[in-house]
Amino acid sequence: MAYTTCVCSRAKSRLQAGSFYRRLCIFTALLFMFFLLACPSIARATTLTATWSPNPEPNIAGYQLLIGAASGSYTTVIDVGKVTSYAFSVNDGTTYYCVLRAYNTAGLYSPYSAEVAVSVPSGGGGGGGGGGTSAGVWSAVGVGDLNGDRHADVLWFNTSSGALAEWLLGGQGNVTATPGLSWTCGPGCSPPWQVVGVGDFNGDGYADVLWFNASSGALGAWLLDGQGNVMAMPFLSWTCGPGCSH
């Protein structure tokens, strides 16, 4: 079970009840994982797991995790207590927006962390033939070392939802995990944009995703960090102009 640690910055401020030495916790990622039973290609339940670095103040009493279905609107508030990770059930095909805040023994709250948005793929993020998806929705679109373990993995694309998911392989044909990418190819993206390749385009040891726009001839790369997070999308300096693509 892999977790990420958030990067935090400190800030001093005065509150009505006295001083509270705060640091603003910024999620680097929210990971969603699949609890598998019987067969690694069938996802039975899906959860999101949030992790963060603890505040250093001795009077920290706990944290609140706020979750919503729209950016800036958090309809669910979970008091997770004095822990640094929390898992909660989610629905496939849904995007979740999350922030975190700390509170101390005096009842003072820190500001919200930076918002993190995570899209859970439809069908549990598995690939074609697994995860409860219908035939033809998921397609294998590339092979490459997506997590830096020197074993080739499989990238899947859902033509219906625009979600992308990985089959991480253990080197002997065993699927060890099926994480989804943090970005999706949403409305306006597909079908003009299509995945045409997988490769390490920035030399960091992790395979990235190459996209091609058949209408404009442009190519862009989703640069991945080895944990399913899209870090940037640079475009290639050349395009496939008139007379190039058919």
Side-chain angles (χ1 to χ4, degrees):
M1 183 179 297
Y3 293 109
T4 57
T5 302
C6 64
V7 179
C8 304
S9 60
R10 295 182 179 179
K12 273 190 176 181
S13 68
R14 289 278 178 180
L15 299 181
Q16 291 180 351
S19 63
F20 179 26
Y21 188 52
R22 305 174 301 170
R23 72 175 185 176
L24 311 182
C25 187
I26 305 172
F27 289 114
T28 55
L30 282 173
L31 302 180
F32 59 90
M33 297 169 292
F34 304 93
F35 291 88
L36 309 177
L37 298 175
C39 177
S41 65
I42 302 177
R44 301 298 188 187
T46 307
T47 66
L48 278 171
T49 300
T51 69
W52 56 92
S53 293
N55 284 56
E57 298 82 10
N59 63 339
I60 291 297
Y63 301 90
Q64 284 187 343
L65 182 63
L66 296 87
I67 307 165
S71 179
S73 178
Y74 312 114
T75 55
T76 300
V77 180
I78 305 173
D79 191 323
V80 301
K82 197 175 181 179
V83 298
T84 56
S85 67
Y86 185 81
F88 54 97
S89 298
V90 294
N91 297 319
D92 293 348
T94 304
T95 298
Y96 293 86
Y97 299 85
C98 308
V99 294
L100 183 80
R101 65 179 179 179
Y103 59 90
N104 66 4
T105 54
L108 301 176
Y109 289 82
S110 74
Y112 291 156
S113 70
E115 182 181 80
V116 172
V118 179
S119 296
V120 182
S122 299
T133 60
S134 59
V137 175
W138 287 94
S139 299
V141 292
V143 175
D145 185 3
L146 296 166
N147 61 347
D149 65 354
R150 299 186 180 181
H151 300 306
D153 308 303
V154 183
L155 181 69
W156 294 85
F157 177 57
N158 188 312
T159 56
S160 177
S161 68
L164 292 100
E166 306 168 354
W167 276 11
L168 301 181
L169 306 180
Q172 298 182 350
N174 300 312
V175 179
T176 60
T178 60
L181 299 192
S182 59
W183 287 11
T184 62
C185 181
C189 171
S190 182
W193 287 95
Q194 295 293 326
V195 177
V196 293
V198 173
D200 184 5
F201 297 112
N202 59 349
D204 64 353
Y206 305 119
D208 308 303
V209 184
L210 182 65
W211 293 84
F212 174 61
N213 189 314
S215 299
S216 66
L219 292 103
W222 280 11
L223 302 182
L224 307 180
D225 67 349
Q227 299 182 16
N229 302 306
V230 182
M231 309 304 294
M233 183 182 177
F235 290 91
L236 274 63
S237 57
W238 286 18
T239 62
C240 180
C244 169
S245 179
H246 299 282

